[in-house]
Structure formats: structure tokens, C-alpha cells
């Protein structure tokens, strides 16, 4: 939900860019779109998503019909981990985004996609933001990671390292995989909210699946408008949090600043390789 181009809040937004969700304005068709998306995703994710994600869906009672009311959702979420969900009109400036995360507030868009956009839209909507992101915020460890990321984002602004830090967010919060006793599972919001990528990320031979390496992620480019060419696998949410909290990012930023960015499909000699992808999907003529 962060934007690279800070500006003043739009009309109707508070100084922190929050706006009323205006839940009463959703139409029956809006709620029906949410219910359609929810039903098909939650059924698919039973054997694909991280157990912590599925537990969060239950803790927050997201199976109730209709778009969640942020006030009610925040009450349940706050009881679990001290987080809340606040509505924003769209993408917000980086500093605003980090400030909210650092204070355990997750910013969510309030609009819902049209019925003809069930499989893809370019800007995050309420389904991506709430269904994709919020369940894991009910997990204490991941909730702490998100706060730590926000705090790190505020510090990163002083190191001219927001591009590097955005890559960490992309390959963990949005498109991360986690190792479990049942095999690899998905937890990234960009995957769990996408019907197609929920299958592609785990089953397709095309993408690389590589072990998490913090310095490597800070250098790795990504695509925003197609399935990923590489996914990174964390050992656990506890390890992800530990590495985030106990790493001095300042020298790490200095180290990677002098190195070229890595292509999204790169496999390095020191990578832990779960699966070396064929990259067949990325090489389709229509995607070139």
C-alpha cells in the first residue's frame, strides 16, 4: 500500500491518510463479490497456506458473509495481537505506510474489485488487503515482524535504501513461502489472494524456489504485473523475525549499495535451491 511519490492527503482524508471505511455504502453486489472470492480461495488454500494464515482466518471470523466491517475486525485483531485495520483511499506515501506499521496499524483499501476482475487487478483492493494480509496479523510472531518492518522502514529513509527494503517486503509479506512439516506452504498476501498464483507458486515447474537470504533479497528485482520468477522460502516466522530484529541494516545497506541488482530469475552459486525453475512461464511470447 506504499507509494514512491509522497504528497498531501487527498480531500476527505485525515493527516495520516486514513478515511472512514463507510461500510454501509457497500452494495449487495460488492458483498457478493467478496463472498465469491473468499469461498474459492479459502477452499483452495486448505492444503496450500501456512497453518498460521488459516488459523487467522478462523480467529478473525472472516468466514462470515460480506466484506468485513473494519471496526469489528479491529476489535478481534486487537484482542489477538494489538493490531488494528484502518481504511485509506489508495496507495499512501512510504513514510505514512511505515508509521502505521510501526504503530501496529495496517492500512487497507476500502474498494472492492468488479465481478469481471476476480482474477486480476493492478491496485490492491479490500479483498487483497484484508483477506491476503490481515489473517497473519493475528499470529503474534508475524505481527511482530510487520511492526519491525515498519520501524525498519522509518530508519531506511535515512539511508536511501527504500528500494532495497521494498524487495524484502515483496518477497516475504507479498510473495513468501514457508517451510513446514507438511512441505512448502504459501503465506504471502499476493499469493493467497490470487487463485492462479496459489497454484503456480507451489506446483508449477517454472519458478525458482530458493532459501531465504536477507542480503540477497535486498538486491533482487521483481515483477509487479505477472507471476514471480523466484519465490523465497523462510524456515519459520520466528526465524524471519529474528533476522529482521537482530540484523544491523546500516552496514547491510552499505554493502548492497555497491552491488548490481539481481535479475528476478537469477540463481546464485550459494543459493539454497529447493527447486530450480524452468522459467517456461516467463518465456512465453505473450509475456516477453
Amino acid at each position: 500500500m506504499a507509494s514512491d511519490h509522497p504528497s498531501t492527503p487527498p480531500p476527505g482524508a485525515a493527516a495520516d491518510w486514513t478515511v472512514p471505511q463507510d461500510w454501509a455504502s457497500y452494495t449487495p453486489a460488492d458483498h457478493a463479490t467478496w463472498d465469491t472470492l473468499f469461498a474459492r480461495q479459502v477452499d483452495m488454500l486448505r492444503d496450500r497456506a501456512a497453518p498460521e494464515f488459516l488459523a487467522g482466518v478462523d480467529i478473525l471470523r472472516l468466514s462470515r458473509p460480506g466484506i468485513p466491517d473494519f471496526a469489528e475486525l479491529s476489535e478481534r485483531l486487537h484482542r489477538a495481537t494489538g493490531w488494528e485495520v484502518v481504511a485509506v483511499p489508495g496507495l499512501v506515501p512510504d513514510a505514512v505506510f511505515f508509521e502505521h506499521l510501526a504503530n501496529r496499524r495496517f492500512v487497507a483499501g476500502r474498494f472492492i474489485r468488479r465481478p469481471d476482475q476476480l482474477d486480476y487487478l493492478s491496485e490492491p483492493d479490500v479483498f487483497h488487503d484484508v483477506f491476503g494480509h490481515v489473517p497473519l496479523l493475528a499470529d503474534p510472531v508475524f505481527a511482530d515482524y510487520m511492526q519491525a518492518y515498519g520501524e525498519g522502514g522509518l530508519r531506511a529513509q535515512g539511508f536511501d535504501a527504500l528500494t532495497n527494503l521494498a524487495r524484502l517486503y515483496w518477497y516475504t509479506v507479498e510473495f513468501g513461502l514457508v517451510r513446514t512439516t507438511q512441505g512448502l506452504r504459501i503465506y504471502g498476501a499476493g499469493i493467497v489472494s490470487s487463485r492462479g498464483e496459489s497454484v503456480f507458486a507451489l506446483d508449477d515447474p517454472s519458478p525458482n524456489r530458493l532459501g531465504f537470504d536477507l542480503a540477497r533479497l535486498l538486491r533482487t528485482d521483481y515483477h509487479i504485473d505477472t507471476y514471480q520468477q523466484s519465490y523465497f522460502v523462510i524456515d519459520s516466522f520466528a526465524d524471519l523475525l529474528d533476522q529482521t530484529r537482530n540484523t544491523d541494516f546500516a552496514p547491510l545497506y552499505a554493502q548492497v549499495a555497491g552491488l548490481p541488482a539481481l535479475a528476478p530469475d537469477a540463481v546464485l552459486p550459494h543459493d539454497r535451491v529447493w527447486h530450480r525453475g524452468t522459467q517456461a512461464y516467463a518465456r512465453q511470447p505473450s509475456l516477453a
Side-chain angles (χ1 to χ4, degrees):
M1 292 297 297
S3 167
D4 293 332
H5 306 289
S7 60
T8 57
D16 65 358
W17 285 68
T18 57
V19 295
Q21 183 192 11
D22 194 15
W23 187 86
S25 68
Y26 292 122
T27 67
D30 292 333
H31 290 299
T33 297
W34 171 282
D35 292 342
T36 297
L37 289 164
F38 180 90
R40 72 177 196 172
Q41 280 304 107
V42 80
D43 182 62
M44 170 182 288
L45 293 173
R46 290 299 177 194
D47 297 319
R48 294 180 175 276
E52 295 87 348
F53 176 89
L54 298 173
V57 170
D58 292 337
I59 291 168
L60 300 177
R61 303 179 196 169
L62 290 180
S63 59
R64 293 172 58 180
I67 299 169
D69 183 319
F70 287 4
E72 295 179 2
L73 180 62
S74 291
E75 287 181 11
R76 293 190 288 273
L77 184 58
H78 195 272
R79 285 197 298 269
T81 59
W83 276 76
E84 62 181 306
V85 180
V86 295
V88 291
L91 297 177
V92 302
D94 293 313
V96 173
F97 181 69
F98 296 139
E99 185 71 28
H100 279 297
L101 292 185
N103 288 281
R104 297 176 92 87
R105 296 187 298 265
F106 188 78
V107 297
R110 57 183 175 174
F111 81 97
I112 185 79
R113 68 192 73 184
R114 301 191 310 266
D116 64 340
Q117 297 174 312
L118 293 185
D119 291 317
Y120 178 76
L121 76 166
S122 59
E123 185 175 341
D125 71 340
V126 68
F127 184 76
H128 168 86
D129 284 341
V130 173
F131 180 83
H133 285 282
V134 176
L136 273 179
L137 291 175
D139 177 74
V141 178
F142 194 82
D144 285 351
Y145 171 67
M146 288 292 283
Q147 180 181 18
Y149 184 88
E151 293 167 346
L154 294 174
R155 292 191 296 270
Q157 295 176 103
F159 293 100
D160 193 26
L162 292 185
T163 296
N164 302 110
L165 198 63
R167 292 166 177 160
L168 175 62
Y169 190 90
W170 187 264
Y171 282 117
T172 58
V173 179
E174 291 290 357
F175 291 95
L177 304 180
V178 59
R179 180 171 61 89
T180 75
T181 56
Q182 289 78 42
L184 299 187
R185 293 292 183 265
I186 58 181
Y187 71 91
I191 311 177
V192 298
S193 62
S194 166
R195 184 176 180 85
E197 198 147 5
S198 294
V199 174
F200 181 84
L202 288 184
D203 297 349
D204 201 283
S206 184
N208 301 317
R209 299 175 185 94
L210 308 172
F212 176 84
D213 180 311
L214 181 56
R216 195 237 201 269
L217 260 67
L218 297 181
R219 295 179 56 199
T220 306
D221 278 340
Y222 54 83
H223 297 300
I224 63 171
D225 55 359
T226 187
Y227 294 160
Q228 300 307 300
Q229 290 181 264
S230 295
Y231 298 94
F232 291 89
V233 181
I234 61 172
D235 291 329
S236 67
F237 294 125
D239 182 66
L240 178 63
L241 174 62
D242 180 68
Q243 292 201 49
T244 303
R245 277 185 167 169
N246 296 317
T247 295
D248 185 350
F249 276 70
L252 192 56
Y253 290 146
Q255 172 190 331
V256 301
L259 299 173
L262 296 170
D265 63 343
V267 178
L268 306 182
H270 65 268
D271 282 335
R272 290 182 294 145
V273 180
W274 287 80
H275 170 78
R276 184 183 289 266
T278 65
Q279 300 302 325
Y281 178 84
R283 292 171 183 150
Q284 293 179 67
S286 61
L287 300 174

